Amino acid sequence: MRIVIAGGHGQIALRLERLLAARGDEAAGIIRNPGQSDDLRAVGAEPVVLDLESATVEEVAEVLRGADAAVFAAGAGPNSGTARKDTVDRGAAVLFADAAERAGVRRYVVVSSMGADPDHAGDEVFDVYLRAKGEADADVRSRAALDWTILRPGMLTNDAGTGQVLLAASTGRGPVPRDDVAAALVELLDTPATAGLTLELISGNVPLAVAVKDIAGN
């Protein structure tokens, strides 16, 4: 498969790219900073330099054409202000979905956030972030032209992945290693029957492949 990943230098994205490349898939990561290109090449991914805050739909669609799936894993980052929560966490996600539709890429997987809600109240930066992610998720869920899956991980850690998770429409709060989030994305990409699901992910006691098969069967 050829998978195009928005936010290609993110911590989860780099892990995902490494997993995809290791099994022989083509992973292309969209990055804004050309200085990050070598990091993507080091994990076996193709760097694509494009700023999703200023690119046109057609420019992004050109990158997506011929891909088997698109993964939105971009984020403004923890040190960004409220303005970039809107332009990246919401705006870039909508742009990427528009481009996927234009390029004819149906499979669309989103890395969202637990607690994302377009009606989330509050004015702190994290409140604005959860609202922006919720608005982006709502936009994606409205699109009949996309076979979307939205993954909402719990508190992200850099602990080694265990491959043991709890994956459900609602899991409750909990931590999850970034390794396991990346591995879950691979399983979701391989399981088209998860299209149309919004899922929460935390560490648990069910093997990841089993958890995805179980949720796809519901």
Side-chain angles (χ1 to χ4, degrees):
M1 292 196 296
R2 176 174 171 81
I3 315 295
V4 178
I5 301 155
H9 194 259
Q11 294 187 68
I12 291 170
L14 286 167
R15 288 166 167 83
L16 172 61
E17 288 154 2
R18 187 189 298 277
L19 291 174
L20 292 170
R23 68 179 200 169
D25 289 330
E26 287 181 46
I30 296 176
I31 53 176
R32 186 175 60 164
N33 179 0
Q36 297 170 340
S37 296
D38 285 347
D39 291 341
L40 270 71
R41 293 189 187 101
V43 298
E46 168 200 343
V48 178
V49 180
L50 189 64
D51 186 349
L52 293 176
E53 287 179 274
S54 60
T56 66
V57 172
E58 185 53 40
E59 286 171 334
V60 183
E62 193 58 37
V63 176
L64 282 161
R65 283 197 176 91
D68 297 287
V71 176
F72 186 82
N79 298 318
S80 61
T82 56
R84 294 198 69 227
K85 304 305 181 194
D86 184 67
T87 57
V88 179
D89 293 295
R90 185 202 59 79
V94 172
L95 173 73
F96 202 56
D98 286 340
E101 287 188 347
R102 183 170 297 192
V105 179
R106 288 199 63 93
R107 191 70 177 114
Y108 191 88
V109 178
V110 177
V111 182
S112 184
S113 175
M114 195 173 285
D117 181 350
D119 298 318
H120 182 85
D123 298 315
E124 298 297 319
V125 173
F126 193 64
D127 296 323
V128 175
Y129 167 75
L130 290 177
R131 200 155 51 240
K133 293 296 283 185
E135 289 169 355
D137 291 353
D139 178 88
V140 168
R141 284 198 295 254
S142 73
R143 296 172 184 259
L146 297 180
D147 296 327
W148 53 265
T149 304
I150 294 170
L151 183 65
R152 293 176 168 175
M155 186 184 71
L156 298 169
T157 75
N158 287 325
D159 297 336
T162 66
Q164 302 284 316
V165 301
L166 175 59
L167 180 70
S170 178
T171 61
R173 298 278 172 180
V176 62
R178 288 179 173 87
D179 286 352
D180 286 336
V181 178
L185 292 170
V186 174
E187 291 288 341
L188 293 172
L189 288 167
D190 286 348
T191 312
T194 57
L197 299 179
T198 301
L199 302 170
E200 294 183 351
L201 177 74
I202 60 174
S203 293
N205 55 15
V206 178
L208 186 49
V210 174
V212 172
K213 282 193 179 66
D214 285 349
I215 201 76
N218 289 336

